[in-house]
Structures are given as C-alpha cells and as structure tokens.
Amino acid sequence: MVLPKAEWERIQDNLDSTTREAARILAEKKEREEMHLRSKAAVKDWPNTIMGLAQRKLKAKKLREEREEEERKLLDLEEQRFQAAKRKEALDHAKTYLYYQNERVKGLHSALLLAEVLKERDAQVEFKKLKSDVNKKKGEEKEHEHKEAILREEEKAHQCYMNQQALRRDQLEQIKEHKHQADLAKLEDKREGEQIQRLNRLYQLEIQRGKEKEQEEKVERQRLHHEHVTEQKIIKAVEEQKEMEEDDRIRAHCKAKETIAKLIKKKEAEMRRLTQEHQDKIVYQLAVQMNEALKREDDRLAKDIAKKEAEQEKKRKEKEAKEKAAIKSIAEHRATVMKMKVEKEREEKEEGKKELHALMEKNCIYLETEKAKKQRQRDANMEVQKIQIQQMAEKQAKKQQEKQADLDYDVQREAIALFKEREFQSYAKQVIESESKTTHHLYPLLKASKDGRGLGHGPFSRGREGINTSFQSQDGAGGQLPCCSCTPAQEVKNMK
C-alpha cells in the first residue's frame, strides 16, 4: 500500500503526539525553573524584599553573635588574667607569710620592735627633759612674779609709811594749831599710833607668813625634786642589776650548753665503742660455736668408731668361746670326726675372714660417709661465713651510700641556706636603711642581720660524719636551742 506523504505525516503525528506532549511539558517546566533561577538571582541583592530582609537579619544576627562571642572571649581572657593575678597575689602573700614565719625574720622583726622601743624611749626621755625645762622655767617665772609681788608690797608699804608720816606731820601741825585740844589730840594720836603700829605689825606679820609659806613651798619643791632624782638613780641601779643578772644567766646557759655538747659527744663515742665491742663479741661467739660444733662432731665419730670396735671384739670373744666349747666337746670324738672337724674349721676360718673383710669394708664406708658429711658441714659453714661477709660488705656499702646522700643533702641545704641568707640580708638591709632615717638605735637590727648561714646561729661548716657544727643543739637529732648569746649591757650602752 502506498500512502501519500501528508497522510504518512498525519499518522506519525497521531502516533508521536503523547511523546511530543511530554517533551513539551518537560521543556516548559525546565524553562520555568530557569526563569525562576534567573528571577532569584536578579532579586537576590534587592534590599526591599522579604528574602533580603531575612538575609540582612540573619547576617546581622551572625555579626551580633560573632561580636558577642568576641566580647565573651575578651571577658574570659580578662577573667583568666584576674584569676591569675589573684592566684599570684595569694602565692605572694603565702610566700611572704612563710618568709615572715622564719626564725631569722622573726628575730629581725623583734630587733626592729626593739629599735622602735628604744626610739620611743629616747623620745620619752627627751619629753621628760623638755618637761623638766618647762617646769624649771615655770618655777623661775613664778619666783620672778613672787619677787615682783614682794617689791610691789614693799612699795605699797613704803607709800603707806610715807602717807602715815605725812599724816603724822599733819597731826603735829594740828596739835600745834590746836593746843587747847592737846590732851584729847594726844590721846587720839596715841590711839591712832597704836592702831597704826598694830596694823603695821599685822601687815609685816602677814608678809613674813607669806615669805615663810613661799619658802616652805620652795623647800618642798626642792625635796620632791631630790626624791625624783633619787628614785631615778634607784631605778637605774635596779636596771643595771637586772642586766648584770641577765648576763650571768646567759653565761651560765652557755656553759651548760657546752657541757651538754661535751656529754653528747662522749655518749656518742661510748655508743660506737659498745657497738664495735658487740659486733666483735658476736663474731667471736660464732667462731666458738662453730669450733664447738666441729669438736662435738669429731667426738661423736670417735665414739661411734670405739663402739663398733667394742662390738667386733665382743663378737670375736663370743666366737672364740664357742670355738673352745666345740673343740672341747669334739675332743672326745676326735678320732671318729677328725676329718670333719678339720674341714669345718677351715670353712669357719674362711667365713670369719669374709665377715671380717665385710665388716672392715662397712667401717671404711661409714668413715668415708662421716668424712664427707663433715666436709659438707665445713663447706656449709664457709658458705654461711661468705654470706655474712657479703652482707656486712653490702651493709657497709649501703651505709656509705647513705652517708654520701647525707653529704649531697647537706650541699643542697647549704645552697638553699645561701640563697635564703642573701634574700634575708637584702630584706634586712632595706629595713636598716629605712630605720636609719628615724633612729640611731641600729645595734639590734645589725646584730639580727649578721650572717647565719648553715641554718644555725654560727658559721656554716661540715664537721665529722656530715654534722653541721653551726647548730647549738642539745640532742643528737640536731634540735636547735634559742640563741641567747648576746653582748653585755655595757657594750650596748657604748654602741649607743
């Protein structure tokens, strides 16, 4: 069948219509997706869209979180620095506290307190001197006022006397003028004169009483002053006596300490001697015990040999007795059994020889066995001695190692003590320089800051067996006694 082209195309179109429709739908979908992607790419950077606002918010949130994270890191870093500073401050405070708890630092602080007390005492002495000068000045001013008052009173009395004289002259003139009243005037003048004299005497008596009272007050002040001076002298003498007693006590303490040190050394020497004697005694006892054991073993072997020989002798005697009895009984029948007897004797002799030979072999074997046993015992004793010698050598080596360790420890302790001494000397120098600006009583501080290396109060030195001889100790453990050795009171006064 032949179809036209148009008809063929129509038939093909009808057959491929579903496939073309699916391809068209896919192409449109793809085109829409591409358009959507182009739209998203176009509006991605637009600020006024919902996505743009959301992206800006997310970006701002991210930046804010990053900024907050940086701030938290800075805060954490600041907190770490603050905590490190607090820990450092606490460590410094603890080190300072431990340093202040050191005996030498305590001694330096005690010396500093003593220097402050001496400075305060000087200030009090200066204040007392100033007070005495002020009291003396007040006494002089009071005496001057008293003299001025006496002069005023004398001037007043002289003026009164002059007035009285003028009055007398006036009265005399009146007497002359009034002769007719002479008797009355004389009597009146006489009474007035007596009254004036009485008043004058009373006034003079009052002045004399005032002078006596002032003199008594002055004498009382002088007496109080003398008593005060006497009390000061007594107090000074009591203080000097106390200082002398303290010096005597310190010297007695030092002497007792030296005696204790000598007794300790003597006791240590006695202990070493007793230890050596004990070791020698143990070695001697071991040697004696070994010799006694060997001797007992030899005695036992000799006794066993003697016992064996006695048994063999007894058997031989019994055998001889039996032989004699047999010979006696057979002698009656000698004629009949001579031949049997000779044969029997020959056999018995051979058996006796065999028994004797076997017995001698057993004896030799026993002696060899005992000899080997004794040799093993000697070898065991030698091994024990070797082990003991090796143990003693190991103990000596261990003791030498411990001694070397003690020496190394002393060297390390000396280095630590040297470092602490330098640190202490630096601190003491600062304290002395600070105190030298306010007081001249530096002797306690200078004495407390003297070189005390070796952890004791004397110069550091390593004596016999690694003992630091700078300790002032009272026992073998090295417990240090307090430092009571000081300069006498007179030397302290000279230092002032």
Side-chain angles (χ1 to χ4, degrees):
M1 185 177 178
V2 179
L3 294 174
K5 184 179 180 180
E7 187 66 22
W8 176 254
E9 290 179 353
R10 185 184 63 79
I11 293 171
Q12 290 292 331
D13 290 338
N14 288 331
L15 292 174
D16 297 335
S17 61
T18 305
T19 304
R20 284 197 301 272
E21 184 69 21
R24 186 182 60 79
I25 290 170
L26 288 174
E28 289 178 356
K29 186 177 180 182
K30 186 176 181 180
E31 186 179 359
R32 283 196 302 272
E33 288 179 354
E34 290 178 353
M35 188 180 292
H36 181 67
L37 291 174
R38 286 195 301 272
S39 298
K40 285 179 70 177
V43 302
K44 182 174 66 174
D45 297 329
W46 290 0
N48 55 353
T49 60
I50 295 174
M51 292 297 294
L53 291 174
Q55 287 178 358
R56 285 204 306 273
K57 287 182 180 178
L58 289 173
K59 189 175 182 179
K61 183 179 179 182
K62 186 177 181 180
L63 292 174
R64 187 173 63 254
E65 288 177 352
E66 289 178 355
R67 188 169 58 253
E68 289 177 354
E69 183 66 24
E70 292 293 332
E71 290 178 356
R72 281 196 295 272
K73 288 181 179 180
L74 292 174
L75 287 174
D76 292 338
L77 185 60
E78 290 293 331
E79 181 66 22
Q80 289 178 1
R81 290 176 181 173
F82 177 70
Q83 293 295 333
K86 284 183 68 177
R87 287 195 296 272
K88 185 178 179 182
E89 183 180 358
L91 287 173
D92 294 338
H93 180 70
K95 288 179 180 179
T96 306
Y97 177 75
L98 292 175
Y99 182 72
Y100 286 163
Q101 293 301 314
N102 191 3
E103 292 297 331
R104 296 203 65 205
V105 177
K106 285 184 179 180
L108 182 64
H109 288 172
S110 299
L112 178 61
L113 180 61
L114 179 59
E116 293 292 336
V117 170
L118 293 174
K119 183 172 69 175
E120 183 66 23
R121 189 185 68 177
D122 291 342
Q124 290 179 0
V125 170
E126 188 68 24
F127 176 72
K128 286 182 179 181
K129 189 183 294 183
L130 182 62
K131 185 177 179 181
S132 177
D133 294 338
V134 170
N135 292 330
K136 186 177 180 181
K137 188 175 181 181
K138 286 183 179 180
E140 291 177 354
E141 290 178 355
K142 190 173 183 181
E143 187 175 357
H144 181 67
E145 291 177 357
H146 179 65
K147 289 181 180 179
E148 289 182 352
I150 291 172
L151 290 175
R152 286 196 299 271
E153 291 294 333
E154 288 178 354
E155 289 178 358
K156 186 176 180 181
H158 181 68
Q159 186 66 30
C160 185
Y161 177 73
M162 294 301 293
N163 292 333
Q164 289 176 0
Q165 291 295 328
L167 183 60
R168 288 192 186 95
R169 285 194 297 270
D170 292 338
Q171 288 175 355
L172 290 173
E173 290 177 356
Q174 288 177 6
I175 290 170
K176 289 179 180 179
E177 291 176 356
H178 303 285
K179 290 183 179 180
H180 61 279
Q181 297 180 355
D183 295 333
L184 295 173
K186 287 180 180 179
L187 293 172
E188 187 66 24
D189 187 41
K190 186 176 180 182
R191 285 196 299 272
E192 288 180 359
E194 290 176 355
Q195 184 67 23
I196 290 169
Q197 288 179 1
R198 186 174 62 81
L199 291 173
N200 191 13
R201 286 195 299 271
L202 291 172
Y203 177 73
Q204 293 295 332
L205 184 60
E206 188 68 25
I207 291 173
Q208 186 66 26
R209 286 178 180 176
K211 289 181 180 180
E212 290 177 356
K213 188 176 180 180
E214 291 292 333
Q215 186 67 26
E216 288 177 357
E217 291 179 355
K218 185 176 180 181
V219 170
E220 183 67 20
R221 285 196 297 273
Q222 290 179 355
R223 186 182 63 79
L224 292 175
H225 176 70
H226 289 308
E227 288 180 355
H228 179 70
V229 171
T230 305
E231 289 177 356
Q232 291 294 326
K233 289 181 179 180
I234 292 170
I235 292 170
K236 188 175 181 181
V238 170
E239 290 179 354
E240 290 179 355
Q241 183 66 26
K242 287 182 178 180
E243 289 178 354
M244 291 176 67
E245 291 177 356
E246 183 68 16
D247 293 338
D248 294 337
R249 188 180 66 80
I250 290 168
R251 284 194 292 270
H253 182 73
C254 292
K255 188 174 180 182
K257 189 161 57 177
E258 291 176 358
T259 305
I260 290 170
K262 290 179 180 179
L263 290 174
I264 290 170
K265 290 181 179 179
K266 186 176 180 181
K267 185 67 176 294
E268 289 177 353
E270 183 66 20
M271 289 297 292
R272 287 194 295 272
R273 185 181 65 77
L274 291 174
T275 304
Q276 188 64 33
E277 289 180 355
H278 184 65
Q279 291 178 355
D280 296 339
K281 188 176 180 180
I282 289 171
V283 173
Y284 177 74
Q285 288 178 356
L286 287 173
V288 170
Q289 289 177 1
M290 290 175 65
N291 292 328
E292 288 179 354
L294 293 174
K295 188 176 180 181
R296 284 196 298 272
E297 188 67 24
D298 293 337
D299 293 339
R300 187 176 66 79
L301 290 174
K303 287 180 180 179
D304 291 339
I305 292 169
K307 187 176 181 181
K308 290 289 184 182
E309 290 178 354
E311 289 177 356
Q312 291 175 2
E313 184 67 23
K314 185 177 180 181
K315 287 180 180 180
R316 189 179 61 79
K317 288 181 178 181
E318 289 177 354
K319 189 176 181 180
E320 289 179 355
K322 287 180 181 180
E323 288 176 355
K324 288 179 180 180
I327 291 169
K328 186 177 181 180
S329 61
I330 293 170
E332 296 176 354
H333 306 282
R334 181 175 299 206
T336 58
V337 291
M338 182 63 69
K339 189 175 180 180
M340 294 176 62
K341 184 179 179 182
V342 172
E343 187 66 26
K344 189 177 181 180
E345 286 180 356
R346 186 176 60 80
E347 290 177 358
E348 286 180 356
K349 285 181 180 180
E350 289 178 359
E351 289 177 1
K353 287 180 180 180
K354 289 179 180 180
E355 290 179 0
L356 180 61
H357 183 68
L359 185 61
M360 289 178 69
E361 287 180 355
K362 289 181 180 179
N363 191 15
C364 290
I365 292 169
Y366 176 77
L367 291 174
E368 291 293 333
T369 305
E370 292 296 330
K371 187 176 181 181
K373 187 176 179 181
K374 189 184 294 183
Q375 185 64 31
R376 286 197 300 271
Q377 185 69 27
R378 288 198 185 96
D379 294 338
N381 292 332
M382 291 298 293
E383 289 294 330
V384 171
Q385 287 183 357
K386 288 179 180 179
I387 292 170
Q388 289 178 350
I389 292 170
Q390 185 178 0
Q391 289 178 353
M392 291 176 68
E394 290 177 354
K395 188 175 180 181
Q396 188 69 23
K398 186 178 179 181
K399 187 182 292 185
Q400 189 69 24
Q401 290 177 359
E402 292 177 354
K403 186 176 180 181
Q404 185 64 34
D406 292 337
L407 292 175
D408 295 337
Y409 172 72
D410 290 337
V411 171
Q412 293 178 1
R413 187 175 63 181
E414 181 182 0
I416 294 170
L418 182 60
F419 174 74
K420 289 184 178 180
E421 180 64 24
R422 288 175 181 172
E423 186 178 0
F424 174 75
Q425 291 296 329
S426 176
Y427 176 68
K429 185 177 180 182
Q430 293 177 3
V431 173
I432 290 170
E433 288 177 355
S434 176
E435 287 297 317
S436 64
K437 297 177 181 178
T438 58
T439 182
H440 63 280
H441 294 287
L442 301 177
Y443 174 74
L445 294 173
L446 292 174
K447 182 179 178 182
S449 65
K450 284 182 180 179
D451 188 9
R453 291 174 55 200
L455 305 178
H457 298 286
F460 184 83
S461 63
R462 187 181 293 111
R464 182 173 55 81
E465 297 182 358
I467 298 173
N468 186 357
T469 57
S470 65
F471 279 103
Q472 298 181 356
S473 59
Q474 63 178 355
D475 53 10
Q480 187 174 4
L481 291 174
C483 181
C484 297
S485 59
C486 64
T487 311
Q490 190 62 36
E491 186 176 351
V492 176
K493 293 178 181 178
N494 294 332
M495 289 295 292
K496 293 179 183 179

